[in-house]
Amino acid sequence: WIDHYLGKEIAQAMMSLRFANSVFEPLWNRKHVEAVHICFKEDIGTMGRGGYFDEYGIIRDVMQNHLLQLLALVAMEPPISQAAEDVRNRKVDVLRSISPVRIEDVVVGQYGPGKGEPGYLEDKTVPEGSVTPTYAMLAMYINNPRWDGVPFILSAGKAMDEKKVDIRIQFKEVAGNIYSGQHIKRNELVMRVQPDEAIYLRVMTKNPGLKNNIVDTDLLLSYKQRFEGGGHLPDAYERLIYDALKGDSSLFVRDDELAAAWRIFTPVLQMLEGHEIQPDQYPFGTVPIKAQELLEKLGYIEEGS
C-alpha cells in the first residue's frame, strides 16, 4: 500500500534527524516533551467536488493514513537498521501501543460560509443535510515507557486560515524562571512538511541591547535556501515510483500497519456515523473554537506560526 506522505522530503528527514544526531535522542521522551501536534491545513474548500469527499470525510481522507504515518515516524523506537522490515516493525509496534481514542478528545467541524466563500453544504454535489466532517482534531496516547502521558494531537481540515502541514514537538516549560516578570515560551521543534520544506527550533535568547530582555527566535533550516542549486527535490510520488522500480519497499505500508491504523480509527468513525459526535460549524477561513479549547485542555500552547 502506498502513502505518498512517506515519500515527502521532511518525512524522509525525520529518520536522519532522530537517529543521526545525538542531541535529540535524550530529549525525545515524556520527561522533556509536553505535546506533539501534527497539523494539516488546506485553505480551500471542496470546490465542487464535495460529492466525492462526502463519501469519505477528512478522517479517512487525511488523518487515518498520512498523519498517522507521520506520527509513527516521530514516535517509533530506533530500528536496528534502515532495512524496510526493521523500520516497519518499529512503526507497527508504536501503532499497536496507541490506546483507544476517548470521545472527549475528539472535535469535528464542518465549514460554513465566510470571507465571500460558500459553505460545505452550499456545494451542489454534497447531499442535503450532510454531517460529514471537513475538520477533525483528536488526541492519542501511546502506552509505552517513552511516551506515556504525552498527547499526540492530529488535526486536519479544509477551508482553514492557511495552507500547511507541520509536525510540531513542544517541549516542557523551563523550571525555575530566573527572568522575573518575563514570559519564557516553550521550545518547539517544527518540521514543515509543505509548502516550503523547513526544520526550525524555537528558542529563547537575549534581545540585543543594554537591557536584559529575552525574546523568542527560530534556528531555521530552510530547504529552499540551504540546498539551493544542490539538485532536484523529488516529488513524493516520483520517489515512491523510483523505489518500487528498485524493489525497495521501506516507504510502503505493510498489511499489519494498515490493520493497526484501522483498529485506532474504526471506533472513532463508528461514533461519528452513530451521531455521537456532531460537527460544529466554523466560518470559512477559520479554525473551530472547540479545537482551540481542546488544545488548551491537552496542554499544548500555540505561540507562533
Side-chain angles (χ1 to χ4, degrees), residues 41-43 110-115 134-135 157-162 280-289 291-292:
K41 289 184 175 183
E42 283 188 338
D43 57 359
Q110 187 184 88
Y111 70 87
K115 297 187 176 180
T134 60
Y135 178 90
K158 290 183 173 293
M160 298 273 96
D161 53 340
E162 59 183 328
D280 293 306
Q281 190 174 92
Y282 60 97
F284 195 110
T286 66
V287 177
I289 294 174
Q292 297 169 331

Side-chain angles (χ1 to χ4, degrees), residues 71-274:
L71 180 152
L73 291 174
V74 172
M76 72 181 190
E77 294 298 315
I80 61 174
S81 78
Q82 293 186 69
E85 292 306 304
D86 291 336
V87 173
R88 292 190 294 196
N89 286 341
R90 290 292 184 258
K91 287 165 60 184
V92 170
D93 286 345
V94 78
L95 294 179
R96 287 176 173 169
S97 298
I98 293 176
S99 301
V101 177
R102 302 177 301 191
I103 192 169
E104 60 267 28
D105 290 333
V106 180
V107 168
V108 292
Q110 187 184 88
Y111 70 87
K115 297 187 176 180
E117 297 288 344
Y120 179 69
L121 295 178
E122 295 174 59
D123 185 331
K124 294 181 180 179
T125 65
V126 173
E128 184 177 351
S130 170
V131 292
T132 297
T134 60
Y135 178 90
M137 174 183 284
L138 56 82
M140 298 179 176
Y141 291 90
I142 300 171
N143 185 26
N144 67 17
R146 182 187 292 268
W147 296 116
D148 185 37
V150 177
F152 279 74
I153 306 159
L154 304 186
S155 66
K158 290 183 173 293
M160 298 273 96
D161 53 340
E162 59 183 328
K163 178 182 179 179
K164 69 176 184 180
V165 180
D166 280 349
I167 303 167
R168 311 181 74 94
I169 299 171
Q170 192 167 99
F171 295 92
K172 292 184 180 293
E173 294 179 356
V174 171
N177 181 6
I178 65 171
Y179 293 90
S180 178
Q182 298 190 58
H183 174 53
I184 297 181
K185 295 182 179 180
R186 294 174 178 175
N187 299 129
E188 192 166 36
L189 178 65
V190 181
M191 286 149 278
R192 174 67 45 81
V193 179
Q194 64 182 37
D196 301 325
E197 296 92 336
I199 300 172
Y200 58 94
L201 178 65
R202 179 165 296 121
V203 298
M204 301 298 295
T205 188
K206 180 184 176 297
N207 197 24
L210 297 177
K211 295 184 178 180
N212 196 26
N213 294 331
I214 57 172
V215 295
D216 63 299
T217 189
D218 295 334
L219 304 179
L220 172 65
L221 168 59
S222 164
Y223 274 53
K224 185 181 294 184
Q225 296 174 9
R226 175 62 181 85
F227 301 111
E228 184 177 6
H232 167 65
L233 285 181
D235 175 79
Y237 282 112
E238 183 181 346
R239 182 191 300 276
L240 291 168
I241 292 170
Y242 176 65
D243 284 354
L245 292 173
K246 291 192 305 176
D248 182 354
S249 60
S250 57
L251 298 181
F252 293 79
V253 179
R254 210 166 58 189
D255 288 348
D256 54 348
E257 282 185 74
L258 192 57
W262 282 117
R263 178 193 65 81
I264 298 164
F265 281 99
T266 296
V268 177
L269 292 167
Q270 288 173 340
M271 286 189 288
L272 288 172
E273 290 159 4

Side-chain angles (χ1 to χ4, degrees), residues 15-35:
M15 293 278 288
S16 56
L17 185 75
R18 287 194 59 189
F19 305 128
N21 295 284
S22 61
V23 66
F24 292 115
E25 181 60 23
L27 306 178
W28 216 264
N29 55 62
R30 61 189 296 270
K31 294 180 181 179
H32 299 282
V33 175
E34 184 68 34

